[in-house]
Amino acid sequence: MSTSESDRERDSERNFGDYGGQYVPEALMPALQELEDAYERYVLTNEDGFMDEFRDRMRDFGGRPTPLQRADRLSERYDREVYLKREDLVHGGAHKLNNALGQVLLAKYMGKERIIAETGAGQHGTATAMAAAHLDVPCEIYMGRTDINRQRPNVYRMRMNGAEVNPVTAGSGTLKEAINETLRDWATTVETTHYVIGSVVGPHPFPKLVRDFQSVIGREAREQIREKAGRLPDSVVACAGGGSNTMGAFHEFVPDEGVDLVAVEAGGSSLEIDEENALAPNSATLSTGTDGVLHGAMTKLLQSGDGQIVESHSVSAGLDYAGVGPELAHLVETGRVKPVSVDDDAALNGFHRLSNLEGIIPALESSHALGYLEEAHDELGEIVVVTVSGRGDKDLETVLEETEKRDLEAAPNVEVFDS
Amino acid sequence: MSGEDRRPPGGEPRNDERGATRPASGDEVTTDSDVEAAIRENHPALISYITAGDPSLEETKAYVEALDRGGADLIELGLPFSEPIAEGPTIQAAINRALDAGTTPRGFFELVDELETEAPLLVMTYYNMILQYGNTEAPRASEEASGARRERSEGLDDANGEAVSGQRPRAKPDVRPFVERAAETGLSGIIVPDLPAEEADPLREACDDHGLDLVFIVAPTTEGDRLETIMSQVSGFAYVQARLGTTGARADVSSATHRSLARLSEYDVPKAVGFGVSEGDHAAEIIEAGADGVIVGSALVDIIAEHSAAGSGTESQNIAQHGADGNTPAAADLEAKARELKRGARRGAGAEDAPEPEHQ
């Protein structure tokens, strides 16, 4: 079949090189077209002042702009200028609100009556519940049963904000099952409901839409570093799960060829895949994944030889996903973004080190970027920007548990507890 | 074509006399599509779905034969994928049982190769399964050749236990090895619930080259230009999704079904309705509303689930329970259900007193 000129044009928009696209059931296609239309009108051309309202709300409700802080002890330790982009200071404690508030507001502009979202660790779920409460839209969050049991405080936060939390019992009861179930809901309720996807994943236009809402991270950081250091950084380092924090931090820097972009993935406990049990003891999709289709997009995946999606793992629940955003996969494929990974131990040390040296408790997700800084600072140039994607209070229980099992150099002595 | 076994002898690929382009809507009375012929000749048609490997490939063989005997005019076989986003709880559970039993594409194709049915067979699976087939470092294509080789349908890895993905980049995914193998085993068509028309070019071209139909789904939300586009690409039949949401047996026929059939009435391609059809009376109502066929999945999968609920679903246990000779209670119930549905469909077409369809 020959495709017409306009089809080809749309193709190039739907994809990032070999990645992206819209691999979803037919029932969802009209909704994606409606969303594309809304994205072009409200986000790209600021129709009805949408972007103005979004920025105002992110300022007053969300607490933007966030600081770019010079980390004095880290700079001394690594003998270079280290700056931290403080997304941990966004309302709710992570960068997730940038996207959640943007999409809930967009849904209102589109006249949608109901919001649904998936969540893994609960960060995107809590951000969406906060945004929905703030904008007064009914909201339901799908969350795997395993995750609900692991993240009780986050579940309660969502309930306090008035969101329904729907347990998903299928499979291993984690993020990918929650996404499956949210897609099923959407296929049923598509005419009245908007699906607030939590990362730069999913079918077009989600990867672009989420990237654009998150790109405020890099836009601010780029201005702030010029102001503070008088020039662009040599490298920007950000942790990567699905990739919303990564794309948010990198997007504005992509045209700056002198700036190295480093995506730090969760190496978990090993980079191997155990095919027999369909397990990957890591979430290093960009480094070790292979091309395939998951959750509506052609991207890099952790999968078996037959194409079954394997269970990923990371000590950090927010990085624990077998896929990754298609645009990020493309930027890795073209060499613009360098994918690296650090293991659970390095992340736990990073978590303790930033807490101890700088008085900032980072999320376990962000701790991967800090773990990489410790391991490879020599390769990062004179000026380094590291994104602290969220705060780590949510992770203290996990960290206590994991630290007891290990001999971590950066962990404090906790003899203060009765043993 | 007549109602004889339409499968090519010896599993040879069928000759494809069809060019790469098809008429948008045919005035043609004859067709070189097995799938379309099966619907037109057995009008009103019963199209059945079960998940291959639930609870084992061996039992699937018996179930397919039972459906064939019961009057199913087309049989869809689900090739299980770990993330079945278009399925409701019933088929999700079947897919999980099939995966737990170690069902692989290789085992699936071996089963299809062995099957001899009067009804043409289609595979229903998700796009990633099609993309990855034959696309591993191990030269699996050569292992596909018949002869002595390890049985892989137990979910075991290569003899050395080495991981075949994740360590080194593989070749780019490609749909052709899957389509070639599908044609070789005598499959007549492919249905991919997560592949909309916009993304279907590579698969459609491969299917055209190998004489397979690529069946598209028309949803209640499909209207205007999108409907035009899809209907211009239909081969075999248009899969009319009766309602929004996922697969699953329901207690009634959705009003969206009637609206969809009305929207499609001007197109001269067979239209079959699925998503929620579970009883003979549903079949009658749908055929009466103008459909050429009904598609039934979850109601059949429910029967299989009931019969394997007692065991944990492992092959050996099930064989111990029922024997492996195909005379399982589930097979008898499936055959009876197919008869009920086929009768319902014929009632809807005004053939109240029609004799049972004669199958061998």
Side-chain angles (χ1 to χ4, degrees):
Chain A
M1 303 273 299
S2 65
T3 48
S4 71
E5 195 63 40
S6 62
D7 274 357
R8 271 202 298 279
E9 267 175 49
R10 274 205 38 199
D11 262 355
S12 64
E13 290 170 20
R14 287 213 316 268
N15 298 304
F16 308 96
D18 293 341
Y19 300 102
Q22 295 176 303
Y23 299 89
V24 295
E26 168 58 28
L28 292 179
M29 288 301 288
L32 291 179
Q33 287 181 338
E34 190 188 351
L35 187 61
E36 273 177 70
D37 178 58
Y39 168 63
E40 280 174 29
R41 285 164 51 201
Y42 298 122
V43 179
L44 298 182
T45 57
N46 195 28
E47 190 173 303
D48 299 342
F50 171 85
M51 287 303 286
D52 301 328
E53 181 175 351
F54 172 54
R55 277 189 285 265
D56 288 351
R57 289 185 184 276
M58 279 312 298
R59 184 189 63 223
D60 297 343
F61 178 70
R64 297 211 76 88
T66 61
L68 181 76
Q69 182 207 339
R70 183 178 186 274
D72 296 342
R73 252 75 52 200
L74 291 186
S75 297
E76 198 179 330
R77 180 183 179 92
Y78 300 130
D79 191 26
R80 68 206 57 237
E81 295 291 300
V82 177
Y83 287 87
L84 304 174
K85 182 55 177 166
R86 298 288 309 277
E87 291 301 294
D88 58 308
L89 295 174
V90 177
H91 177 47
H95 72 293
K96 288 290 187 185
L97 185 70
N98 302 330
N99 165 50
L101 188 73
Q103 282 199 62
V104 176
L105 187 64
L106 186 66
K108 276 195 91 154
Y109 273 65
M110 291 168 74
K112 298 292 179 183
E113 302 157 17
R114 172 176 172 261
I115 289 298
I116 53 174
E118 87 292 341
T119 197
Q123 290 304 103
H124 174 60
T126 53
T128 306
M130 285 184 329
H134 175 63
L135 293 166
D136 193 25
V137 188
C139 168
E140 290 181 44
I141 306 291
Y142 287 88
M143 189 170 186
R145 170 53 68 194
T146 310
D147 285 334
I148 288 179
N149 296 340
R150 281 197 296 205
Q151 308 280 345
R152 286 169 51 94
N154 272 343
V155 176
Y156 196 63
R157 280 167 80 187
M158 292 183 251
R159 297 289 299 121
M160 286 199 302
N161 287 144
E164 295 293 327
V165 179
N166 303 324
V168 179
T169 51
S172 60
T174 56
L175 176 61
K176 76 180 166 68
E177 287 78 23
I179 295 177
N180 295 344
E181 206 54 38
T182 319
L183 283 167
R184 291 179 187 122
D185 177 317
W186 203 33
T188 312
T189 58
V190 65
E191 288 152 322
T192 57
T193 298
H194 174 70
Y195 176 9
V196 179
I197 213 161
S199 190
V200 287
V201 300
H204 172 71
F206 281 111
K208 288 182 177 177
L209 178 69
V210 178
R211 174 203 71 200
D212 286 359
F213 288 140
Q214 290 291 2
S215 64
V216 64
I217 302 172
R219 197 159 43 250
E220 285 176 10
R222 200 166 173 278
E223 284 171 25
Q224 290 163 323
I225 194 75
R226 286 177 123 160
E227 205 175 294
K228 285 178 186 293
R231 68 173 178 89
L232 290 176
D234 298 305
S235 53
V236 179
V237 182
C239 63
S244 70
N245 155 71
T246 331
M247 284 311 305
F250 292 173
H251 183 58
E252 293 288 320
F253 289 102
V254 168
D256 301 319
E257 287 181 14
V259 181
D260 291 343
L261 304 175
V262 185
V264 188
E265 298 189 283
S269 54
S270 152
L271 291 181
E272 307 279 309
I273 280 191
D274 171 0
E275 284 240 353
E276 195 168 330
N277 298 303
L279 288 174
N282 64 72
S283 307
T285 319
L286 292 168
S287 317
T288 69
T290 49
D291 295 357
V293 166
L294 174 65
H295 295 144
M298 174 80 73
T299 185
K300 290 183 184 284
L301 308 176
L302 300 176
Q303 59 185 333
S304 74
D306 285 337
Q308 307 295 358
I309 310 305
V310 302
E311 295 294 340
S312 57
H313 163 80
S314 166
V315 70
S316 134
L319 298 183
D320 197 343
Y321 180 52
V324 69
E327 186 174 16
L328 197 49
H330 172 63
L331 289 170
V332 164
E333 195 74 359
T334 58
R336 182 63 191 96
V337 168
K338 178 182 178 185
V340 299
S341 64
V342 299
D343 64 14
D344 289 345
D345 285 14
L348 287 160
N349 274 320
F351 182 93
H352 289 300
R353 199 174 296 112
L354 194 72
S355 305
N356 178 268
L357 294 179
E358 300 287 352
I360 300 166
I361 302 175
L364 266 176
E365 291 81 6
S366 326
S367 301
H368 285 75
L370 295 152
Y372 183 72
L373 185 66
E374 174 82 5
E375 287 182 11
H377 50 85
D378 282 346
E379 298 162 26
L380 297 171
E382 290 297 303
I383 302 179
V384 188
V385 170
V386 181
T387 306
V388 181
S389 55
R391 66 171 184 240
D393 308 60
K394 65 181 176 68
D395 296 316
L396 285 171
E397 215 168 308
T398 307
V399 170
L400 271 168
E401 208 176 293
E402 296 291 334
T403 302
E404 277 178 5
K405 296 185 214 166
R406 294 171 162 85
D407 181 20
L408 297 174
E409 60 173 66
N413 176 327
V414 286
E415 280 173 7
V416 63
F417 293 133
D418 287 336
S419 46
Chain B
M1 300 191 100
S2 68
E4 294 154 19
D5 185 347
R6 293 181 193 82
R7 287 169 39 80
E12 290 300 307
R14 270 193 311 279
N15 287 326
D16 174 28
E17 291 151 25
R18 191 169 72 207
T21 51
R22 301 176 47 74
S25 61
D27 314 324
E28 75 252 77
V29 187
T30 57
T31 170
D32 50 10
S33 155
D34 298 349
V35 172
E36 192 175 336
I39 296 176
R40 291 197 187 278
E41 289 165 16
N42 301 292
H43 197 281
L46 169 62
I47 304 173
S48 60
Y49 166 97
I50 57 172
T51 303
D54 168 30
S56 73
L57 288 170
E58 185 139 356
E59 275 162 299
T60 301
K61 185 169 188 285
Y63 298 161
V64 170
E65 286 161 357
L67 290 168
D68 199 40
R69 283 195 303 273
D73 303 301
L74 284 172
I75 298 171
E76 298 172 12
L77 278 171
L79 169 61
F81 173 54
S82 61
E83 318 300 319
I85 56 171
E87 316 300 345
T90 304
I91 294 176
Q92 279 178 55
I95 286 172
N96 287 335
R97 289 191 298 268
L99 289 172
D100 289 346
T103 308
T104 61
R106 167 180 312 224
F108 169 83
F109 282 129
E110 284 169 4
L111 164 76
V112 173
D113 223 358
E114 284 173 27
L115 279 167
E116 293 201 9
T117 55
E118 188 163 333
L121 302 175
L122 299 100
V123 56
M124 186 161 186
T125 194
Y126 288 79
Y127 196 46
N128 199 48
M129 298 305 293
I130 295 172
L131 283 170
Q132 305 308 330
Y133 183 76
N135 177 34
T136 55
E137 296 168 322
R140 295 197 177 175
S142 66
E143 295 169 15
E144 296 287 357
S146 58
R149 61 161 182 269
R150 273 179 75 249
E151 180 55 64
R152 286 185 48 94
S153 63
E154 293 302 315
L156 298 172
D157 211 316
D158 294 27
N160 57 9
E162 186 196 340
V164 284
S165 72
Q167 297 313 294
R168 292 181 297 276
R170 297 191 291 188
K172 287 280 175 192
D174 181 6
V175 300
R176 290 197 169 261
F178 184 97
V179 176
E180 278 165 27
R181 182 69 178 130
E184 202 176 77
T185 57
L187 281 164
S188 300
I190 302 182
I191 308 175
V192 191
D194 62 341
L195 190 71
E198 280 79 352
E199 305 290 355
D201 282 356
L203 186 59
R204 192 179 34 244
E205 284 163 21
C207 284
D208 283 343
D209 289 349
H210 290 275
L212 291 182
D213 283 321
L214 178 58
V215 173
F216 284 102
I217 295 172
V218 176
T221 46
T222 310
E223 289 167 340
D225 291 351
R226 286 198 56 73
L227 183 63
E228 283 290 331
T229 306
I230 292 170
M231 294 310 282
S232 72
Q233 299 179 7
V234 163
S235 62
F237 63 94
Y239 189 128
V240 180
Q241 185 180 330
R243 62 186 80 220
L244 286 173
T246 53
T247 55
R250 311 274 198 315
D252 63 332
V253 175
S254 120
S255 56
T257 306
H258 298 264
R259 286 197 299 276
S260 292
L261 288 169
R263 255 201 332 278
L264 295 176
S265 58
E266 61 187 88
Y267 297 97
D268 181 34
V269 293
K271 295 164 271 287
V273 175
F275 277 53
V277 185
S278 65
E279 291 166 20
D281 289 348
H282 298 172
E285 188 178 336
I286 287 166
I287 298 299
E288 212 166 334
D292 304 295
V294 291
I295 308 169
V296 184
S298 292
L300 302 172
V301 170
D302 274 334
I303 292 171
I304 293 169
E306 279 162 30
H307 283 282
S308 48
S312 68
T314 68
E315 193 169 349
S316 54
Q317 272 174 313
N318 279 298
I319 289 174
Q321 260 177 303
H322 309 308
D325 56 359
N327 293 323
T328 64
D333 288 357
L334 286 169
E335 185 174 342
K337 188 73 184 177
R339 283 188 202 286
E340 175 207 326
L341 290 158
K342 181 73 186 180
R343 268 199 306 272
R346 292 167 64 83
R347 220 172 32 247
E352 185 86 46
D353 306 312
E356 292 280 319
E358 279 194 45
H359 284 239
Q360 75 277 22

